[in-house]
């Protein structure tokens, strides 16, 4: 870290006075997530929980199209705002008063977005959701503008490009609210493409100084939080079902299968460090963008377990295969995506194919029906056992 940057990041016990926001070094030692970042994640998980709850409700009622489209859009807003804050903080976190206050504004936007998610599902009313999203994004614009004062040359152009690009897209989202509700679903994909394009355009000449180890830790921590929310949602669903129906015999297989899936999801994600793979924007962007599927599928597993519990006690108005699919489809997607983004970089030989095969096997468990969730959990556990066995053989060899 430069002397100027070191001065801006004084001792942990010092008061966060107003400091000059300068880029942090990629080679900074002992870079870890801050308590503010962890608090930010915990507040964002409220929106994740709302999205999962609405997904479970829509799936349980058999409204597949509403469930999938509503969830994809709601989770994109959550994920994209979280991701942009995370990468910005990795490069420019100065932890002073303005930075903390601006982060609080972003958290406020996340809570507004969470409050608007039910309306997005039920009435296709995007007003509150877009308002919360725009609040989060405009707060980040002020951060990028502030960062531009600590940069020069191409780096300053990069920071200003971020600010201008994000602001322009937010104008577009506000305009979307003025369109007829029947047109909005057709326009939303263009807004998503515009959002995804901003980082690539802004960093086409110079890269922001994100920290590989810090970024990989932040993504890992958010994965843990999402998996925790999944376990929590499933636990509440089981408890409620037991209290109301006392259908313990039918619920135990779902609970066991769900627990095995969540444990497997944790195991495979953290099986090997990934930060050494994140050496350039090309690698990091693909990895970071791909986490939309990892985070989204992890949260969807929890929603699916809620649906499976509701089916077990006769509340869900769908077939046994459909109820099982709400768990097995996101679980298979999670396994496949973690393999594509993580595992394939550290596995060789037969171990390379454990997760792809496991993903297909979990998906095949859908056809089993009522026992499919338990079968999927056993498949995931078996995949871990096989992976550990193959790894031990490599070590011995």
């Amino acid at each position: 870290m430069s002397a100027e940057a070191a001065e801006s990041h004084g001792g942990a016990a010092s008061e966060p006075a107003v400091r000059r926001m300068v880029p942090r070094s990629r080679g900074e030692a002992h870079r870890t997530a801050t308590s503010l970042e962890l608090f930010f994640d915990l507040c964002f998980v409220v929106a994740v929980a709302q999205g999962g709850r609405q997904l479970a409700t829509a799936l349980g009622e058999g409204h597949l199209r509403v469930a999938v489209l509503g969830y994809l859009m709601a989770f994109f807003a959550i994920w994209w705002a979280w991701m942009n804050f995370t990468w910005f903080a990795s490069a420019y976190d100065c932890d002073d008063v303005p930075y903390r206050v601006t982060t609080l504004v972003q958290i406020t936007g996340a809570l507004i977005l969470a409050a608007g998610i039910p309306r997005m599902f039920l009435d296709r009313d995007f007003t509150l959701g877009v308002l919360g999203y725009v609040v989060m994004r405009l707060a980040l614009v002020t951060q990028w503008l502030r960062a531009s004062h600590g940069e020069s040359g191409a780096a300053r152009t990069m920071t200003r490009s971020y600010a201008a690009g994000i602001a322009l897209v937010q104008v577009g989202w506000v305009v979307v609210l003025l369109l007829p509700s029947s047109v909005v679903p057709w326009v939303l994909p263009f807004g998503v493409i515009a959002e995804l394009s901003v980082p690539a355009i802004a960093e086409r000449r110079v890269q922001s100084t994100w920290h590989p180890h810090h970024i990989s830790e932040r993504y890992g921590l958010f994965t843990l939080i999402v998996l925790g929310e999944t376990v929590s949602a499933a636990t509440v669903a089981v408890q409620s079902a037991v209290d109301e129906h006392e259908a313990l015999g039918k619920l135990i297989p779902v609970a066991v299968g769900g627990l095995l899936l969540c444990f497997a999801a944790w195991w495979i994600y953290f099986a090997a460090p990934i930060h050494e793979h994140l050496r350039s924007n090309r690698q990091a962007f693909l990895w970071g963008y791909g986490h939309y599927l990892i985070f989204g599928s992890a949260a969807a597993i929890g929603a699916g377990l809620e649906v499976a519990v509701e089916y077990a006690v006769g509340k869900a108005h769908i077939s046994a295969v459909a109820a099982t699919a709400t768990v097995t489809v996101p679980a298979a997607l999670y396994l496949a995506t973690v393999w594509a983004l993580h595992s394939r970089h550290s596995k060789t030989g037969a171990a390379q194919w454990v997760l792809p095969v496991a993903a297909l096997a979990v998906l095949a468990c859908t056809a089993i029906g009522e026992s499919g969730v338990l079968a999927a959990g056993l498949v995931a556990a078996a995949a871990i056992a096989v992976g550990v066995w193959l790894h031990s053989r490599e070590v011995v060899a």
Side-chain angles (χ1 to χ4, degrees), residues 71-73 75-76 79 287-297:
Y71 183 71
L72 290 177
M73 286 307 305
F75 204 89
F76 173 81
W79 162 76
W287 180 84
Y289 283 19
H291 271 72
Y292 171 71
L293 297 177
I294 291 181
F295 293 155
S297 59

Side-chain angles (χ1 to χ4, degrees), residues 4 7-10 14-22 94-101 143 146:
E4 187 175 31
E7 181 182 354
S8 72
H9 297 84
S14 60
E15 287 298 321
V18 178
R19 301 163 180 159
R20 187 183 178 199
M21 184 178 280
V22 294
C94 61
D95 194 33
D96 62 358
V97 170
Y99 180 87
R100 291 184 176 190
V101 171
Q143 297 279 47
R146 189 179 171 207

Side-chain angles (χ1 to χ4, degrees), residues 175-197:
V175 170
V176 167
L177 294 180
L178 304 177
L179 300 175
S181 58
S182 59
V183 177
V184 172
W186 300 99
V187 177
L188 291 179
F190 294 100
V192 169
I193 293 172
E195 289 280 11
L196 295 175
S197 300

Side-chain angles (χ1 to χ4, degrees), residues 187-252:
V187 177
L188 291 179
F190 294 100
V192 169
I193 293 172
E195 289 280 11
L196 295 175
S197 300
V198 171
I201 294 172
E203 300 197 24
R204 65 189 183 280
R205 294 181 180 176
V206 63
Q207 298 180 12
S208 58
T209 57
W210 47 268
H211 193 286
H213 187 276
H214 176 250
I215 283 293
S216 63
E217 182 190 34
R218 293 288 292 113
Y219 272 72
L221 290 171
F222 198 68
T223 300
L224 284 176
I225 291 175
V226 171
L227 288 175
E229 171 55 33
T230 293
V231 173
S232 175
T235 301
V236 170
V238 170
Q239 179 184 356
S240 200
V242 169
D243 290 344
E244 293 182 18
H245 297 272
E246 300 181 355
L248 197 58
K250 294 182 178 180
L251 295 175
I252 287 178

Side-chain angles (χ1 to χ4, degrees), residues 267-268 271 347-348 350-355 380-394:
W267 188 298
I268 66 171
K347 303 294 183 182
T348 57
Q352 181 74 262
W353 303 104
V354 172
L355 286 184
I384 293 175
V386 171
V388 170
W389 177 67
L390 290 173
H391 178 70
S392 64
R393 288 186 60 188
E394 289 180 2

Side-chain angles (χ1 to χ4, degrees), residues 365-381:
C365 290
T366 306
I368 297 176
E370 291 187 14
S371 302
V373 175
L374 177 59
L378 293 173
V379 167

